[in-house]
């Protein structure tokens, strides 16, 4: 019997040692995980958050505000969002929605979104109170940006509820784009360098299409531009009404961009 008790005691000690080693290995494996992997595990996408906690208190709603740095943007501009929030949580996030979306009934499909800490992969709470969005992937129209708290998802209704929303801002449909075409005057003429347009040759500027566009977009006198396959950029100052273009053997690989501010969307009523 004494020998049996000794065997049992030794087996128990060995089992304890094995459990300790397994525990140490597990801890080391967790510590070695990549920060972004941990962030992803801790912060799933908004449409994966299924907490049905009630929205934050009325007091927090009063202390939270959000706004954009401008009220209108051209496609490709950076949209800077400023916010002030009380007790920011790692589950708080910021989303851009079409203007008609109600802040009390937001879908799980925002146009753009990030966590309040500034990206889709960050882990900590917000260390600053501004985040940036790129408008390249946004269609022309009017939008609002909303602040959605951790616990702002309703399981019963399958919606998010924001505690702060910005004023309307506009993504301008700045250009009508005509690929494989060249710009023409309302008289269907090619125009002249120094009169209807100013030519910037690739040999001098080394501009790509987006640089030609940026130059025109930043100058109010520019009414449109033409960019051809040789990299030459024509900055048009001609006040066009017809927005004419021509397609022929010389226009292959060219683009005509005409500005048309009448394409700006009309104001949308504030949702409730």
């Amino acid at each position: 019997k004494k020998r049996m008790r000794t065997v049992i005691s030794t087996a128990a000690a060995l089992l304890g040692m094995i459990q300790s080693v397994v525990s140490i290995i597990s801890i080391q494996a967790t510590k070695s995980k990549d920060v972004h992997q941990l962030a992803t595990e801790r912060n799933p996408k908004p449409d994966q958050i299924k907490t049905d906690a009630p929205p934050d208190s009325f007091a927090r709603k009063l202390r939270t505000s959000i706004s954009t740095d401008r009220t209108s943007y051209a496609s490709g501009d950076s949209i800077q969002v400023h916010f002030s929030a009380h007790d920011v949580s790692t589950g708080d996030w910021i989303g851009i929605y079409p203007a008609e979306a109600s802040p009390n009934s937001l879908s799980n499909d925002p146009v753009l979104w990030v966590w309040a800490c500034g990206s889709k992969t960050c882990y900590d709470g917000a260390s600053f109170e501004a985040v940036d969005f790129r408008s390249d992937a946004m269609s022309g129209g009017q939008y609002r940006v909303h602040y959605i708290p951790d616990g702002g998802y309703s399981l019963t209704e399958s919606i998010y509820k924001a505690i702060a929303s910005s004023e309307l801002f506009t993504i301008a449909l700045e250009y009508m784009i005509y690929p494989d075409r060249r710009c023409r005057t309302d008289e269907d003429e090619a125009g002249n360098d120094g009169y209807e347009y100013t030519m910037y040759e690739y040999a001098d500027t080394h501009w790509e299409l987006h640089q030609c566009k940026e130059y025109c977009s930043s100058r109010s006198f520019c009414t449109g531009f033409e960019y051809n396959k040789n990299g030459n950029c024509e900055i048009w100052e001609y006040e066009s009404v017809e927005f004419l273009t021509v397609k022929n053997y010389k226009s292959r690989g060219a683009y005509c961009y005409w500005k048309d501010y009448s394409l700006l969307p009309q104001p949308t009523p504030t949702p409730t």
Side-chain angles (χ1 to χ4, degrees), residues 30-181:
T30 300
K31 287 182 177 180
S32 66
K33 281 187 177 181
D34 182 77
V35 173
H36 292 296
Q37 183 180 352
L38 287 171
T40 302
E41 292 173 357
R42 176 64 182 84
N43 292 333
K45 292 182 179 179
D47 61 5
Q48 295 174 334
I49 299 175
K50 298 304 179 185
T51 58
D52 202 18
D56 287 43
S57 67
F58 182 68
R60 187 184 181 197
K61 189 171 184 179
L62 287 177
R63 296 178 185 179
T64 304
S65 62
I66 192 166
S67 62
T68 55
D69 62 325
R70 287 154 49 191
T71 57
S72 63
Y73 304 86
S75 179
D77 285 351
S78 176
I79 302 170
Q80 189 170 82
V81 175
H82 300 273
F83 66 91
S84 176
H86 180 65
D87 294 333
V88 177
S89 167
T90 54
D92 291 1
W93 58 280
I94 294 166
I96 294 178
Y97 285 83
E100 61 270 18
S102 170
N104 292 318
S105 183
L106 297 171
S107 73
N108 63 355
D109 188 26
V111 177
L112 295 171
W113 73 274
V114 293
W115 298 109
C117 48
S119 76
K120 292 184 179 180
T121 57
C122 54
Y123 180 68
D124 298 324
S127 57
F128 49 87
E129 297 181 339
V131 296
D132 290 321
F133 292 94
R134 292 291 300 177
S135 62
D136 308 69
M138 298 176 65
S139 302
Q142 291 187 308
Y143 300 86
R144 281 187 176 86
V145 60
H146 303 275
Y147 191 100
I148 297 90
D150 187 13
Y153 183 82
S154 171
L155 278 174
T156 55
E157 300 175 274
S158 298
I159 58 172
Y160 290 100
K161 295 184 179 182
I163 58 173
S165 302
S166 73
E167 297 295 328
L168 285 174
F169 67 91
T170 298
I171 302 297
L173 293 173
E174 189 177 8
Y175 293 100
M176 296 183 294
I177 305 172
Y178 302 93
D180 291 324
R181 289 181 174 272

Side-chain angles (χ1 to χ4, degrees), residues 195-235:
Y195 292 91
E196 285 80 14
Y197 64 84
T198 300
M199 171 71 79
Y200 293 87
E201 297 186 1
Y202 183 80
D204 299 322
T205 64
H206 297 284
W207 281 351
E208 301 296 336
L209 174 61
H210 71 93
Q211 293 167 309
C212 186
K213 178 183 176 182
E214 288 170 2
Y215 186 91
C216 182
S217 296
S218 63
R219 287 159 175 79
S220 58
F221 64 79
C222 180
T223 58
F225 68 92
E226 178 183 304
Y227 188 86
N228 64 34
K229 62 184 178 182
N230 297 320
N232 297 329
C233 173
E234 296 179 4
I235 298 296

